[in-house]
Amino acid sequence: MQPRFVQIKSAILDDIESGKMKPGDKVASENQLAETHSVSRMTARRALTELVDEGILLRSQGLGTFVSDHRPMSSMLTIRSIQEEILQRGHTYSNRILQQAEIIADDTQAAWLALPPGASLYQTQIIHLENQLPVQLENRLVNPALAPDYLQQNFQHTTANAYLSRIAPLTEADHVVEAIAAEPEVAAHLSMAVNAPCLKVSRRTYSAKGIVSYAQLLHPGDRYRLGGHLDF
Amino acid sequence: MQPRFVQIKSAILDDIESGKMKPGDKVASENQLAETHSVSRMTARRALTELVDEGILLRSQGLGTFVSDHRPMSSMLTIRSIQEEILQRGHTYSNRILQQAEIIADDTQAAWLALPPGASLYQTQIIHLENQLPVQLENRLVNPALAPDYLQQNFQHTTANAYLSRIAPLTEADHVVEAIAAEPEVAAHLSMAVNAPCLKVSRRTYSAKGIVSYAQLLHPGDRYRLGGHLDF
DNA sequence: TTTATTAACTTGTATAGACAAGTATGTACA
DNA sequence: TGTACATACTTGTCTATACAAGTTAATAAA
């Protein structure tokens, strides 16, 4: 049984998604919601507060609460495997597989995939080389429930993204890009100096069923750049 | 007079920013906070809830509430001024203008704006600070033909992007993201160690009439990261 | 008619309590 | 020794109420 405020959220979201409520429409007031759902005002308010925080509703003191125009941004940066990029540049691609195994998640890893601590998950670590020079150290965690055959794949010839999008269409992805200093182990794998700048891309991909994979992609700062083009 | 839950938030943020509390440290429990601040538990809880929503704290039922590793994220997919981002996070914004002048382009600079070598163009260099800490060194070149009043702008109160998009709608933009080592001059401006990792974003913006500006944005690797969300 | 006031709504803040549920640490028992 | 249980602590959900503060519309006064 879901908490009541979640039920109220769902009811409101249903109204919006079914088209019963359109952007600009006024939502029932906190007192009205409290009465129709037989809860206290604070509980009804919590449902509204979370929807406001999620950008789905807008609130204004004295005026009321309204459906916001929350069109999601269209995709402007695509997810391509580094293998595709390298081949498209006409360079030679190769890789070295460091690990391909089932592991027990520590707290951090579990959090990345939103799994309970101690759950088992699939991990691969692969070095990708462009013209025999390492350009990416891929450390990927995969949700076993959503990709049961993952460990049986031959990543010499296929890419993780290709496999994952084949078994379940990816619906969205989060990226975080940072500049970090290369730790000794990373530096060794990437043939770079310890503490030299390293471009780190953390990418979480989602399918309709949940988080599919979390990948940390480390690149030598002097051998890799990230590019994007925006149209307004 | 600020609401009490805002005061409690500030108190906690002060502890974090002063270094009294570091990532991983446990924050006082809701009951403790309620007692020390002489408020009800729900009020103390609201302060914590907002900080959790802002990504500054992490909560776990039965365990407690902890300081998270919370370098703020900026969006990779939209062009927003860093000033907007900082203010939206509820932090204080300030800047120091290093240069605002008309210069003669060298070959590299001319190429960035697709102008003939030796052309004159406008240059601004601004350090952007978040809570008095530098987070971005902006080095911008602007095409004088497309933005004649650029040098007369007061960049203490307006942003380059706001001005540029006012005089000519931006139609597209190219981004390049790299991790580089901070050179001594850059390191000094950004209060970071020489050769420490530095996140560099180069951005070229276009209007219908051509390239409007080319900006190099340098950020301390440990104080800034770039984030984005894709929907397919 | 125009202006000021009032009333009735809205959201915003805050209280004091209750019970549920997850986590850790002891203590007693096997 | 090791296992089970009780306890104390944490966050999670929810109630019923109160007053503050912003907005709108009806009402009363000029």
Side-chain angles (χ1 to χ4, degrees):
Chain A
M1 198 56 176
Q2 279 180 316
R4 328 255 343 226
F5 73 88
V6 175
Q7 298 174 25
I8 300 175
K9 279 179 70 176
S10 300
I12 297 171
L13 282 173
D14 285 347
D15 282 351
I16 294 174
E17 280 169 24
S18 71
K20 207 177 295 177
M21 295 205 137
K22 280 171 285 186
D25 285 358
K26 191 169 182 174
V27 176
S29 77
E30 298 174 354
N31 281 319
Q32 289 168 354
L33 276 177
E35 196 175 349
T36 60
H37 288 84
S38 304
V39 296
S40 72
R41 184 188 151 213
M42 289 308 274
T43 301
R45 179 174 174 79
R46 173 154 182 194
L48 293 182
T49 299
E50 298 212 348
L51 290 172
V52 168
D53 287 345
E54 291 165 21
I56 291 161
L57 299 180
L58 292 171
R59 253 201 302 215
S60 172
Q61 185 173 0
L63 271 177
T65 307
F66 307 86
V67 180
S68 89
D69 186 5
H70 57 286
R71 279 168 299 179
M73 241 179 345
S74 67
S75 109
M76 301 169 186
L77 295 173
T78 53
I79 292 189
R80 282 168 57 204
S81 72
I82 192 155
Q83 178 178 6
E84 281 179 74
E85 286 175 18
I86 291 170
L87 293 176
Q88 200 168 57
R89 284 198 281 272
H91 293 176
T92 64
Y93 170 82
S94 56
N95 65 32
R96 287 206 290 272
I97 296 173
L98 301 180
Q99 175 164 23
Q100 186 166 2
E102 182 169 10
I103 63 166
I104 302 296
D106 63 32
D107 289 6
T108 315
Q109 293 169 329
W112 285 333
L113 288 182
L115 290 176
S120 94
L121 41 82
Y122 298 154
Q123 181 182 43
T124 52
Q125 286 179 300
I126 304 176
I127 300 174
H128 299 275
L129 302 98
E130 177 170 10
N131 291 345
Q132 272 69 52
L133 263 177
V135 290
Q136 182 183 92
L137 173 57
E138 170 190 334
N139 187 349
R140 184 180 297 270
L141 301 174
V142 172
N143 187 336
L146 300 181
D149 297 337
Y150 181 71
L151 287 185
Q152 277 69 56
Q153 299 303 307
N154 180 345
F155 291 115
Q156 297 288 356
H157 302 103
T158 196
T159 68
N161 275 321
Y163 166 72
L164 293 175
S165 58
R166 201 164 56 237
I167 56 165
L170 301 180
T171 56
E172 46 184 323
D174 287 320
H175 292 82
V176 177
V177 180
E178 327 169 57
I180 64 171
E183 294 175 10
E185 197 189 355
V186 170
H189 284 318
L190 291 177
S191 303
M192 56 190 292
V194 174
N195 286 327
C198 189
L199 190 68
K200 172 175 166 181
V201 178
S202 314
R203 176 189 294 159
R204 205 195 316 254
T205 53
Y206 301 80
S207 77
K209 291 174 192 153
I211 299 174
V212 177
S213 91
Y214 176 85
Q216 287 189 346
L217 312 172
L218 299 175
H219 312 84
D222 55 356
R223 263 178 262 147
Y224 189 85
R225 298 189 300 177
L226 204 60
H229 179 85
L230 294 188
D231 283 298
F232 300 117
Chain B
M1 197 55 177
Q2 279 181 313
R4 324 235 13 205
F5 74 87
V6 175
Q7 298 174 26
I8 299 175
K9 280 179 70 176
S10 300
I12 296 171
L13 282 172
D14 284 347
D15 281 351
I16 295 174
E17 280 171 24
S18 71
K20 207 178 295 178
M21 294 206 138
K22 281 170 286 187
D25 286 358
K26 190 169 183 174
V27 177
S29 76
E30 298 174 355
N31 282 319
Q32 288 169 354
L33 276 177
E35 195 176 349
T36 60
H37 289 84
S38 305
V39 296
S40 72
R41 185 190 148 209
M42 289 308 274
T43 301
R45 180 173 172 78
R46 172 155 183 193
L48 292 183
T49 299
E50 297 211 349
L51 290 172
V52 168
D53 287 345
E54 292 166 20
I56 291 161
L57 300 180
L58 291 171
R59 251 200 305 216
S60 173
Q61 185 173 0
L63 272 176
T65 307
F66 306 85
V67 179
S68 86
D69 183 5
H70 61 285
R71 262 173 308 163
M73 265 187 1
S74 78
S75 171
M76 192 158 55
L77 300 176
T78 55
I79 293 192
R80 281 167 59 207
S81 71
I82 191 153
Q83 177 178 5
E84 281 178 76
E85 286 174 15
I86 291 170
L87 292 177
Q88 199 168 60
R89 285 198 278 274
H91 293 176
T92 64
Y93 170 82
S94 55
N95 66 32
R96 288 206 290 272
I97 297 173
L98 301 180
Q99 177 165 22
Q100 186 166 2
E102 182 167 8
I103 64 166
I104 302 297
D106 65 30
D107 290 4
T108 316
Q109 293 169 329
W112 284 334
L113 288 182
L115 290 176
S120 93
L121 43 81
Y122 299 153
Q123 182 183 42
T124 51
Q125 285 180 302
I126 303 176
I127 300 174
H128 301 273
L129 303 98
E130 177 170 9
N131 290 345
Q132 273 71 51
L133 263 177
V135 290
Q136 182 183 91
L137 172 58
E138 170 190 335
N139 186 348
R140 184 181 297 271
L141 301 174
V142 172
N143 187 336
L146 300 181
D149 297 337
Y150 181 71
L151 287 185
Q152 276 70 55
Q153 298 304 306
N154 180 346
F155 291 114
Q156 297 289 356
H157 302 103
T158 198
T159 69
N161 276 319
Y163 168 72
L164 293 174
S165 57
R166 202 164 54 236
I167 57 164
L170 301 179
T171 57
E172 47 186 321
D174 287 321
H175 293 82
V176 177
V177 180
E178 314 167 68
I180 65 172
E183 294 174 10
E185 197 189 355
V186 170
H189 283 317
L190 290 178
S191 303
M192 57 189 293
V194 174
N195 286 327
C198 189
L199 191 68
K200 172 176 167 180
V201 178
S202 314
R203 177 189 291 161
R204 204 195 317 252
T205 53
Y206 301 80
S207 77
K209 292 173 191 154
I211 300 175
V212 177
S213 94
Y214 175 85
Q216 288 189 346
L217 312 170
L218 299 176
H219 313 83
D222 56 355
R223 286 200 291 269
Y224 189 85
R225 51 186 188 170
L226 205 59
H229 179 85
L230 295 188
D231 283 296
F232 301 117

